[in-house]
Coordinates of all heavy atoms in Angstrom, one line a residue:
M1086 N -225.4 187.3 -69.6 CA -226.2 186.2 -69.0 C -227.4 186.0 -69.8 O -227.9 186.9 -70.5 CB -226.6 186.6 -67.5 CG -225.4 186.7 -66.6 SD -225.1 185.1 -66.0 CE -223.7 185.4 -65.0
S1087 N -227.9 184.9 -69.7 CA -229.1 184.5 -70.5 C -230.4 184.5 -69.8 O -230.4 184.7 -68.5 CB -228.8 183.1 -71.1 OG -228.9 182.2 -70.1
F1088 N -231.4 184.4 -70.5 CA -232.7 184.3 -69.9 C -232.9 183.2 -68.9 O -233.5 183.3 -67.9 CB -233.8 184.2 -71.1 CG -235.2 184.2 -70.6 CD1 -235.8 185.4 -70.3 CD2 -235.9 183.1 -70.4 CE1 -237.1 185.5 -69.9 CE2 -237.2 183.1 -70.0 CZ -237.8 184.4 -69.8
R1089 N -232.2 182.1 -69.2 CA -232.3 180.9 -68.3 C -231.6 181.2 -67.0 O -232.1 180.8 -65.9 CB -231.6 179.8 -69.0 CG -231.7 178.5 -68.2 CD -231.0 177.4 -68.9 NE -231.8 177.1 -70.1 CZ -231.5 176.1 -71.0 NH1 -230.4 175.4 -70.8 NH2 -232.2 175.9 -72.1
D1090 N -230.5 181.9 -67.0 CA -229.9 182.3 -65.7 C -230.7 183.3 -64.9 O -230.8 183.1 -63.7 CB -228.5 183.0 -66.0 CG -227.5 182.0 -66.7 OD1 -227.6 180.8 -66.4 OD2 -226.7 182.5 -67.4
Q1091 N -231.3 184.2 -65.6 CA -232.3 185.1 -64.9 C -233.3 184.3 -64.2 O -233.6 184.6 -63.0 CB -233.0 186.0 -65.9 CG -232.1 187.0 -66.5 CD -232.9 187.8 -67.6 OE1 -232.2 188.4 -68.5 NE2 -234.2 187.8 -67.6
Q1092 N -233.9 183.4 -64.9 CA -235.0 182.6 -64.4 C -234.6 181.8 -63.2 O -235.3 181.7 -62.2 CB -235.6 181.7 -65.4 CG -236.9 181.0 -65.0 CD -238.0 181.9 -64.7 OE1 -238.2 182.9 -65.4 NE2 -238.7 181.7 -63.6
K1093 N -233.4 181.2 -63.3 CA -232.8 180.4 -62.2 C -232.6 181.2 -60.9 O -233.1 180.8 -59.9 CB -231.5 179.8 -62.6 CG -230.9 178.9 -61.6 CD -229.5 178.4 -62.0 CE -228.5 179.5 -61.7 NZ -227.1 179.1 -61.7
Y1094 N -232.0 182.4 -61.1 CA -231.8 183.2 -59.9 C -233.1 183.7 -59.3 O -233.3 183.6 -58.1 CB -231.0 184.4 -60.3 CG -229.5 184.2 -60.6 CD1 -228.9 184.8 -61.6 CD2 -228.8 183.3 -59.8 CE1 -227.6 184.6 -61.9 CE2 -227.5 183.0 -60.1 CZ -226.9 183.6 -61.1 OH -225.6 183.4 -61.4
L1095 N -234.1 184.0 -60.1 CA -235.4 184.5 -59.6 C -236.1 183.3 -58.9 O -236.8 183.6 -57.9 CB -236.2 185.1 -60.7 CG -235.7 186.5 -61.2 CD1 -236.5 186.9 -62.4 CD2 -235.7 187.5 -60.1
D1096 N -236.1 182.1 -59.4 CA -236.7 181.0 -58.8 C -236.1 180.7 -57.4 O -236.9 180.4 -56.5 CB -236.6 179.8 -59.7 CG -237.5 179.9 -60.9 OD1 -238.5 180.7 -60.9 OD2 -237.3 179.1 -61.9
V1097 N -234.8 180.7 -57.3 CA -234.2 180.4 -56.1 C -234.5 181.5 -55.0 O -234.8 181.3 -53.9 CB -232.7 180.3 -56.2 CG1 -232.0 180.2 -54.9 CG2 -232.3 179.1 -57.0
L1098 N -234.5 182.8 -55.5 CA -234.8 183.9 -54.6 C -236.2 183.9 -54.1 O -236.5 184.4 -53.0 CB -234.4 185.2 -55.2 CG -233.0 185.5 -55.4 CD1 -232.7 186.8 -56.2 CD2 -232.3 185.7 -54.0
K1099 N -237.1 183.3 -54.8 CA -238.5 183.3 -54.4 C -238.7 182.5 -53.1 O -239.5 182.9 -52.3 CB -239.3 182.6 -55.5 CG -240.8 182.6 -55.3 CD -241.5 182.0 -56.5 CE -243.0 182.1 -56.2 NZ -243.5 183.4 -56.4
K1100 N -237.8 181.6 -52.8 CA -237.9 180.8 -51.6 C -237.5 181.7 -50.4 O -237.9 181.5 -49.3 CB -236.9 179.6 -51.6 CG -237.3 178.6 -52.7 CD -236.3 177.5 -52.7 CE -236.6 176.6 -53.9 NZ -235.5 175.6 -54.1
Y1101 N -236.7 182.7 -50.6 CA -236.1 183.6 -49.6 C -236.8 184.9 -49.5 O -236.4 185.8 -48.8 CB -234.6 183.8 -49.8 CG -233.9 182.5 -49.8 CD1 -233.4 181.9 -51.0 CD2 -233.6 181.8 -48.6 CE1 -232.8 180.7 -51.0 CE2 -232.9 180.6 -48.6 CZ -232.5 180.1 -49.8 OH -231.8 178.9 -49.8
E1102 N -237.9 185.0 -50.2 CA -238.6 186.3 -50.3 C -239.0 186.9 -49.0 O -239.0 188.1 -48.8 CB -239.8 186.1 -51.2 CG -240.4 187.4 -51.7 CD -241.5 187.1 -52.7 OE1 -241.8 186.0 -53.1 OE2 -242.1 188.1 -53.2
R1103 N -239.4 186.1 -48.1 CA -239.9 186.6 -46.8 C -238.7 187.1 -45.9 O -239.0 187.8 -44.9 CB -240.7 185.5 -46.1 CG -239.9 184.3 -45.6 CD -240.9 183.2 -45.1 NE -240.2 182.1 -44.5 CZ -239.5 181.2 -45.1 NH1 -239.2 181.3 -46.4 NH2 -239.0 180.2 -44.5
K1104 N -237.5 186.8 -46.2 CA -236.4 187.2 -45.4 C -235.8 188.6 -46.0 O -234.9 189.1 -45.3 CB -235.2 186.2 -45.5 CG -235.6 184.9 -44.8 CD -234.4 183.9 -44.9 CE -234.8 182.6 -44.2 NZ -233.7 181.7 -44.3
F1105 N -236.3 189.0 -47.1 CA -235.7 190.2 -47.7 C -236.0 191.5 -46.8 O -237.0 191.6 -46.2 CB -236.4 190.5 -49.0 CG -236.0 189.6 -50.1 CD1 -236.7 189.5 -51.3 CD2 -234.9 188.7 -50.0 CE1 -236.4 188.6 -52.3 CE2 -234.6 187.9 -51.0 CZ -235.3 187.8 -52.2
T1106 N -235.0 192.4 -46.9 CA -235.3 193.7 -46.3 C -236.2 194.5 -47.3 O -236.4 194.0 -48.4 CB -233.9 194.5 -46.2 OG1 -233.4 194.7 -47.5 CG2 -232.9 193.7 -45.3
P1107 N -236.8 195.5 -46.9 CA -237.7 196.3 -47.7 C -237.1 196.7 -49.1 O -237.7 196.6 -50.1 CB -238.2 197.5 -46.9 CG -238.0 197.0 -45.5 CD -236.8 196.1 -45.5
E1108 N -235.9 197.2 -49.0 CA -235.3 197.6 -50.3 C -234.9 196.4 -51.2 O -235.0 196.5 -52.4 CB -234.0 198.5 -50.0 CG -232.9 197.8 -49.3 CD -231.8 198.7 -48.8 OE1 -232.1 199.9 -48.5 OE2 -230.7 198.2 -48.7
D1109 N -234.5 195.3 -50.6 CA -234.3 194.1 -51.4 C -235.6 193.6 -52.0 O -235.6 193.1 -53.1 CB -233.6 193.0 -50.5 CG -232.2 193.4 -50.2 OD1 -231.6 194.2 -50.8 OD2 -231.6 192.8 -49.2
K1110 N -236.6 193.6 -51.2 CA -237.9 193.2 -51.7 C -238.4 194.0 -52.9 O -238.9 193.5 -53.9 CB -238.9 193.3 -50.5 CG -240.4 193.1 -50.9 CD -240.6 191.6 -51.2 CE -242.1 191.4 -51.3 NZ -242.4 190.4 -52.4
Y1111 N -238.2 195.3 -52.8 CA -238.5 196.2 -53.9 C -237.7 195.9 -55.2 O -238.3 195.8 -56.3 CB -238.3 197.7 -53.5 CG -238.5 198.6 -54.7 CD1 -239.8 198.9 -55.1 CD2 -237.4 199.2 -55.4 CE1 -240.0 199.8 -56.1 CE2 -237.6 200.0 -56.4 CZ -238.9 200.4 -56.8 OH -239.1 201.2 -57.9
M1112 N -236.4 195.7 -55.0 CA -235.6 195.3 -56.1 C -236.0 194.0 -56.7 O -236.1 193.8 -58.0 CB -234.1 195.2 -55.7 CG -233.4 196.5 -55.7 SD -231.6 196.5 -55.4 CE -231.1 194.8 -55.4
Y1113 N -236.3 193.0 -55.9 CA -236.8 191.7 -56.4 C -238.1 191.8 -57.1 O -238.2 191.2 -58.2 CB -236.9 190.8 -55.2 CG -237.5 189.4 -55.5 CD1 -236.8 188.5 -56.2 CD2 -238.9 189.1 -55.3 CE1 -237.3 187.3 -56.6 CE2 -239.4 187.9 -55.6 CZ -238.6 187.0 -56.3 OH -239.2 185.8 -56.6
D1114 N -239.0 192.6 -56.6 CA -240.3 192.8 -57.3 C -240.1 193.5 -58.7 O -240.7 193.1 -59.7 CB -241.2 193.7 -56.5 CG -241.7 193.0 -55.3 OD1 -241.7 191.7 -55.3 OD2 -242.2 193.7 -54.3
V1115 N -239.1 194.4 -58.8 CA -238.8 195.0 -60.1 C -238.2 194.0 -61.0 O -238.6 193.9 -62.2 CB -237.8 196.2 -59.9 CG1 -237.3 196.7 -61.2 CG2 -238.5 197.3 -59.1
F1116 N -237.4 193.1 -60.6 CA -236.8 192.1 -61.4 C -237.9 191.1 -61.9 O -237.9 190.7 -63.0 CB -235.7 191.3 -60.7 CG -234.4 192.1 -60.4 CD1 -233.8 192.0 -59.2 CD2 -233.9 192.9 -61.4 CE1 -232.6 192.7 -59.0 CE2 -232.7 193.6 -61.3 CZ -232.1 193.5 -60.1
V1117 N -238.8 190.8 -61.0 CA -239.9 189.9 -61.4 C -240.8 190.5 -62.5 O -241.1 189.9 -63.5 CB -240.7 189.4 -60.2 CG1 -241.9 188.7 -60.6 CG2 -239.8 188.6 -59.3
K1118 N -241.1 191.8 -62.3 CA -241.9 192.5 -63.3 C -241.2 192.5 -64.7 O -241.8 192.3 -65.7 CB -242.2 193.9 -62.8 CG -243.2 193.9 -61.8 CD -243.5 195.3 -61.3 CE -244.4 195.4 -60.1 NZ -244.6 196.7 -59.6
R1119 N -239.9 192.8 -64.6 CA -239.1 192.8 -65.9 C -239.0 191.4 -66.5 O -239.1 191.3 -67.7 CB -237.7 193.4 -65.6 CG -237.7 194.8 -65.3 CD -236.3 195.4 -65.1 NE -235.5 195.3 -66.3 CZ -234.2 195.5 -66.3 NH1 -233.6 195.9 -65.2 NH2 -233.6 195.4 -67.5
Q1120 N -239.0 190.4 -65.7 CA -238.9 189.0 -66.2 C -240.3 188.7 -66.9 O -240.3 188.1 -67.9 CB -238.6 188.1 -65.1 CG -238.6 186.6 -65.4 CD -237.3 186.2 -66.2 OE1 -236.4 187.0 -66.2 NE2 -237.3 185.1 -66.8
K1121 N -241.4 189.1 -66.3 CA -242.7 188.8 -66.8 C -242.9 189.6 -68.2 O -243.6 189.1 -69.0 CB -243.8 189.3 -65.9 CG -244.0 188.3 -64.7 CD -245.1 188.8 -63.8 CE -245.2 187.9 -62.6 NZ -246.3 188.3 -61.7
D1122 N -242.2 190.7 -68.4 CA -242.3 191.4 -69.6 C -241.4 190.9 -70.7 O -241.2 191.5 -71.7 CB -242.0 192.9 -69.4 CG -243.0 193.6 -68.6 OD1 -244.2 193.1 -68.5 OD2 -242.7 194.7 -68.0
D1123 N -240.7 189.7 -70.4 CA -239.8 189.1 -71.3 C -238.6 190.0 -71.7 O -238.2 190.1 -72.8 CB -240.5 188.5 -72.5 CG -241.4 187.4 -72.2 OD1 -241.1 186.7 -71.2 OD2 -242.4 187.2 -72.9
E1124 N -238.1 190.7 -70.7 CA -237.1 191.7 -70.9 C -235.7 191.0 -70.5 O -235.6 190.4 -69.4 CB -237.3 192.9 -70.0 CG -236.8 194.2 -70.6 CD -237.2 195.3 -69.7 OE1 -238.4 195.6 -69.5 OE2 -236.3 196.0 -69.3
D1125 N -234.7 191.1 -71.3 CA -233.4 190.6 -70.9 C -232.8 191.7 -70.0 O -232.8 192.9 -70.3 CB -232.5 190.4 -72.1 CG -232.9 189.2 -72.9 OD1 -233.5 188.3 -72.2 OD2 -232.6 189.1 -74.1
F1126 N -232.1 191.3 -69.0 CA -231.5 192.2 -68.1 C -230.2 192.7 -68.7 O -229.4 191.9 -69.3 CB -231.2 191.5 -66.7 CG -232.4 191.1 -65.9 CD1 -232.3 190.4 -64.8 CD2 -233.7 191.5 -66.4 CE1 -233.4 190.1 -64.0 CE2 -234.8 191.1 -65.6 CZ -234.7 190.4 -64.5
D1127 N -229.9 193.9 -68.4 CA -228.6 194.4 -68.8 C -227.5 194.0 -67.8 O -227.8 193.3 -66.8 CB -228.6 196.0 -69.0 CG -229.1 196.7 -67.7 OD1 -229.5 196.0 -66.8 OD2 -229.0 197.9 -67.7
T1128 N -226.3 194.4 -68.0 CA -225.2 193.9 -67.2 C -225.3 194.4 -65.7 O -225.0 193.7 -64.8 CB -223.8 194.3 -67.7 OG1 -223.8 195.7 -67.9 CG2 -223.6 193.6 -69.0
V1129 N -225.8 195.7 -65.6 CA -225.9 196.3 -64.3 C -227.0 195.5 -63.5 O -226.9 195.2 -62.3 CB -226.2 197.8 -64.4 CG1 -226.5 198.4 -63.0 CG2 -225.1 198.5 -65.0
S1130 N -228.2 195.3 -64.1 CA -229.3 194.6 -63.5 C -228.9 193.2 -63.1 O -229.3 192.7 -62.0 CB -230.5 194.6 -64.4 OG -230.9 195.9 -64.6
M1131 N -228.2 192.5 -64.0 CA -227.8 191.2 -63.8 C -226.8 191.1 -62.6 O -226.9 190.2 -61.8 CB -227.2 190.6 -65.0 CG -227.2 189.1 -65.0 SD -228.9 188.4 -64.9 CE -228.5 186.8 -64.5
K1132 N -226.0 192.1 -62.5 CA -225.0 192.2 -61.4 C -225.7 192.3 -60.1 O -225.4 191.7 -59.1 CB -224.0 193.3 -61.6 CG -223.0 193.4 -60.5 CD -222.1 194.6 -60.8 CE -221.1 194.8 -59.7 NZ -220.4 196.1 -59.8
K1133 N -226.8 193.2 -60.0 CA -227.5 193.4 -58.8 C -228.3 192.1 -58.4 O -228.4 191.8 -57.3 CB -228.5 194.6 -59.0 CG -227.8 195.9 -59.0 CD -228.8 197.0 -59.2 CE -228.2 198.4 -59.3 NZ -229.1 199.4 -59.5
L1134 N -228.8 191.5 -59.4 CA -229.6 190.2 -59.2 C -228.6 189.2 -58.6 O -229.0 188.5 -57.7 CB -230.2 189.7 -60.4 CG -231.0 188.4 -60.3 CD1 -232.2 188.6 -59.4 CD2 -231.5 188.0 -61.7
K1135 N -227.4 189.1 -59.2 CA -226.4 188.1 -58.7 C -226.0 188.5 -57.3 O -225.8 187.6 -56.4 CB -225.2 188.2 -59.6 CG -224.1 187.3 -59.2 CD -224.3 185.8 -59.7 CE -223.1 185.1 -59.5 NZ -223.2 184.0 -58.5
E1136 N -225.9 189.7 -56.9 CA -225.5 190.2 -55.6 C -226.6 189.8 -54.6 O -226.4 189.3 -53.5 CB -225.3 191.6 -55.5 CG -224.0 192.1 -56.2 CD -223.9 193.6 -56.2 OE1 -224.8 194.3 -55.8 OE2 -222.8 194.1 -56.8
L1137 N -227.9 190.0 -55.0 CA -229.0 189.6 -54.2 C -229.0 188.1 -54.0 O -229.3 187.6 -52.9 CB -230.3 190.0 -54.9 CG -231.6 190.1 -54.0 CD1 -231.4 191.1 -52.9 CD2 -232.7 190.5 -54.9
Y1138 N -228.7 187.3 -55.0 CA -228.7 185.9 -54.9 C -227.6 185.4 -54.0 O -227.8 184.6 -53.1 CB -228.4 185.3 -56.3 CG -228.2 183.8 -56.4 CD1 -229.3 183.0 -56.4 CD2 -226.9 183.3 -56.5 CE1 -229.1 181.6 -56.5 CE2 -226.7 182.0 -56.6 CZ -227.8 181.1 -56.6 OH -227.6 179.8 -56.7
D1139 N -226.4 186.0 -54.1 CA -225.3 185.7 -53.2 C -225.5 186.1 -51.8 O -225.0 185.4 -50.9 CB -224.0 186.3 -53.7 CG -223.5 185.8 -55.0 OD1 -223.9 184.6 -55.4 OD2 -222.7 186.5 -55.7
K1140 N -226.3 187.1 -51.6 CA -226.6 187.6 -50.2 C -227.5 186.6 -49.5 O -227.3 186.4 -48.3 CB -227.2 189.0 -50.3 CG -227.5 189.6 -49.0 CD -228.1 191.0 -49.2 CE -228.5 191.6 -47.9 NZ -229.0 193.0 -48.1
Y1141 N -228.5 186.1 -50.2 CA -229.5 185.2 -49.5 C -229.4 183.7 -49.7 O -229.8 183.0 -48.8 CB -230.9 185.7 -49.9 CG -231.3 187.0 -49.3 CD1 -231.2 188.2 -50.1 CD2 -231.7 187.1 -48.0 CE1 -231.5 189.4 -49.5 CE2 -232.0 188.3 -47.5 CZ -232.0 189.5 -48.2 OH -232.3 190.7 -47.7
Y1142 N -228.8 183.3 -50.7 CA -228.7 181.9 -51.0 C -227.4 181.3 -50.3 O -226.3 181.8 -50.6 CB -228.7 181.6 -52.5 CG -228.5 180.1 -52.8 CD1 -229.5 179.2 -52.5 CD2 -227.3 179.6 -53.3 CE1 -229.4 177.9 -52.8 CE2 -227.2 178.3 -53.6 CZ -228.2 177.4 -53.3 OH -228.0 176.1 -53.6
V1143 N -227.6 180.3 -49.4 CA -226.5 179.7 -48.8 C -226.5 178.2 -49.2 O -227.4 177.5 -48.8 CB -226.6 179.8 -47.2 CG1 -225.4 179.1 -46.6 CG2 -226.6 181.3 -46.9
P1144 N -225.5 177.8 -50.0 CA -225.5 176.4 -50.4 C -225.4 175.4 -49.2 O -224.7 175.8 -48.2 CB -224.4 176.2 -51.3 CG -223.6 177.4 -51.2 CD -224.4 178.5 -50.5
V1145 N -225.9 174.3 -49.3 CA -225.9 173.3 -48.2 C -224.5 172.7 -48.2 O -224.0 172.3 -49.2 CB -227.0 172.2 -48.4 CG1 -226.9 171.1 -47.3 CG2 -228.3 172.8 -48.4
D1146 N -224.0 172.5 -47.0 CA -222.7 171.9 -46.8 C -222.9 170.4 -46.8 O -223.4 169.8 -45.8 CB -222.0 172.3 -45.5 CG -220.6 171.7 -45.3 OD1 -220.0 171.3 -46.3 OD2 -220.2 171.7 -44.2
K1147 N -222.6 169.7 -47.9 CA -222.9 168.3 -48.0 C -221.8 167.4 -47.3 O -222.1 166.2 -47.1 CB -223.0 167.9 -49.4 CG -224.2 168.5 -50.1 CD -224.3 168.2 -51.6 CE -225.5 168.9 -52.2 NZ -225.6 168.6 -53.6
S1148 N -220.7 168.0 -46.9 CA -219.7 167.2 -46.2 C -220.1 166.7 -44.9 O -219.6 165.7 -44.4 CB -218.4 168.0 -46.1 OG -218.6 169.1 -45.2
K1149 N -221.1 167.3 -44.2 CA -221.5 166.8 -42.9 C -222.4 165.6 -43.0 O -222.6 164.9 -42.0 CB -222.3 167.9 -42.2 CG -223.6 168.4 -42.9 CD -224.2 169.5 -42.1 CE -225.5 169.9 -42.8 NZ -226.1 171.1 -42.1
Y1150 N -222.8 165.2 -44.2 CA -223.5 163.9 -44.4 C -222.7 162.8 -44.8 O -223.2 161.6 -44.9 CB -224.6 164.2 -45.5 CG -225.6 165.2 -45.2 CD1 -225.7 166.3 -45.9 CD2 -226.4 165.0 -44.1 CE1 -226.7 167.3 -45.6 CE2 -227.4 166.0 -43.7 CZ -227.5 167.2 -44.5 OH -228.4 168.1 -44.2
D1151 N -221.4 162.9 -44.9 CA -220.5 161.9 -45.3 C -220.5 160.7 -44.3 O -220.3 159.6 -44.6 CB -219.0 162.4 -45.5 CG -218.9 163.2 -46.7 OD1 -219.8 163.1 -47.6 OD2 -217.9 164.0 -46.8
S1152 N -220.6 161.0 -43.0 CA -220.6 160.0 -42.0 C -221.7 159.0 -42.1 O -221.6 157.9 -41.7 CB -220.6 160.6 -40.6 OG -221.8 161.3 -40.4
F1153 N -222.8 159.4 -42.7 CA -224.0 158.5 -42.9 C -223.8 157.5 -44.1 O -224.5 156.5 -44.1 CB -225.2 159.3 -43.2 CG -225.7 160.2 -42.0 CD1 -225.7 161.6 -42.1 CD2 -226.1 159.6 -40.8 CE1 -226.1 162.3 -41.1 CE2 -226.5 160.4 -39.8 CZ -226.5 161.8 -39.9
F1154 N -222.9 157.8 -45.0 CA -222.7 157.0 -46.2 C -221.4 156.2 -46.2 O -220.9 156.0 -47.3 CB -222.9 157.8 -47.4 CG -224.3 158.4 -47.5 CD1 -224.5 159.7 -47.2 CD2 -225.3 157.6 -47.9 CE1 -225.7 160.3 -47.3 CE2 -226.6 158.2 -47.9 CZ -226.8 159.5 -47.6
K1155 N -220.8 155.9 -45.1 CA -219.6 155.1 -45.1 C -219.8 153.7 -44.9 O -220.8 153.2 -44.4 CB -218.7 155.6 -43.9 CG -218.1 157.0 -44.3 CD -217.0 157.3 -43.2 CE -216.4 158.6 -43.7 NZ -215.4 159.1 -42.7

Protein backbone atom coordinates (compact mmCIF):
# COMPACT_ATOMS: atom_id res chain seq x y z
CA MET A 1 0.00 0.00 0.00
CA SER A 2 1.11 3.49 -0.61
CA PHE A 3 1.41 6.59 1.46
CA ARG A 4 -1.76 7.92 -0.17
CA ASP A 5 -3.78 4.91 0.99
CA GLN A 6 -2.49 5.31 4.52
CA GLN A 7 -3.53 8.95 4.53
CA LYS A 8 -6.98 8.13 3.13
CA TYR A 9 -7.68 5.53 5.81
CA LEU A 10 -6.47 7.77 8.62
CA ASP A 11 -8.52 10.72 7.38
CA VAL A 12 -11.70 8.66 7.26
CA LEU A 13 -11.03 7.14 10.68
CA LYS A 14 -10.56 10.58 12.18
CA LYS A 15 -14.33 11.11 11.84
CA TYR A 16 -15.01 7.98 13.90
CA GLU A 17 -12.38 8.59 16.55
CA ARG A 18 -14.89 9.21 19.33
CA LYS A 19 -16.51 5.80 18.75
CA PHE A 20 -13.29 3.84 19.22
CA THR A 21 -12.76 1.42 22.03
CA PRO A 22 -9.71 2.22 24.19
CA GLU A 23 -7.52 -0.35 22.45
CA ASP A 24 -8.63 0.85 19.01
CA LYS A 25 -7.94 4.42 20.06
CA TYR A 26 -4.43 3.45 21.12
CA MET A 27 -3.77 1.70 17.81
CA TYR A 28 -5.13 4.68 15.89
CA ASP A 29 -2.89 7.08 17.85
CA VAL A 30 0.14 4.92 17.08
CA PHE A 31 -0.75 4.96 13.38
CA VAL A 32 -1.12 8.73 13.41
CA LYS A 33 2.26 9.17 15.09
CA ARG A 34 3.89 6.90 12.53
CA GLN A 35 2.21 8.85 9.75
CA LYS A 36 3.55 12.14 11.14
CA ASP A 37 7.05 10.66 11.13
CA ASP A 38 6.60 9.96 7.38
CA GLU A 39 6.96 6.27 7.96
CA ASP A 40 5.58 3.79 5.45
CA PHE A 41 3.53 1.09 7.11
CA ASP A 42 4.60 -2.51 6.74
CA THR A 43 2.14 -5.17 5.63
CA VAL A 44 1.10 -6.11 9.17
CA SER A 45 0.43 -2.50 10.20
CA MET A 46 -1.44 -1.81 6.98
CA LYS A 47 -3.57 -4.90 7.57
CA LYS A 48 -4.45 -3.69 11.08
CA LEU A 49 -5.29 -0.24 9.76
CA LYS A 50 -7.51 -1.76 7.07
CA GLU A 51 -9.28 -3.90 9.70
CA LEU A 52 -9.88 -0.81 11.82
CA TYR A 53 -11.22 0.99 8.76
CA ASP A 54 -13.55 -1.88 7.88
CA LYS A 55 -14.76 -2.09 11.47
CA TYR A 56 -15.85 1.53 11.78
CA TYR A 57 -16.51 2.83 8.28
CA VAL A 58 -19.97 1.98 6.94
CA PRO A 59 -20.57 3.18 3.38
CA VAL A 60 -23.84 4.94 2.71
CA ASP A 61 -26.48 2.91 0.92
CA LYS A 62 -27.30 5.16 -2.03
CA SER A 63 -30.06 2.95 -3.35
CA LYS A 64 -32.52 4.36 -0.83
CA TYR A 65 -32.27 7.75 -2.60
CA ASP A 66 -33.34 6.40 -6.00
CA SER A 67 -36.98 7.22 -5.36
CA PHE A 68 -36.16 10.94 -5.17
CA PHE A 69 -34.57 11.03 -8.64
CA LYS A 70 -37.16 9.31 -10.81
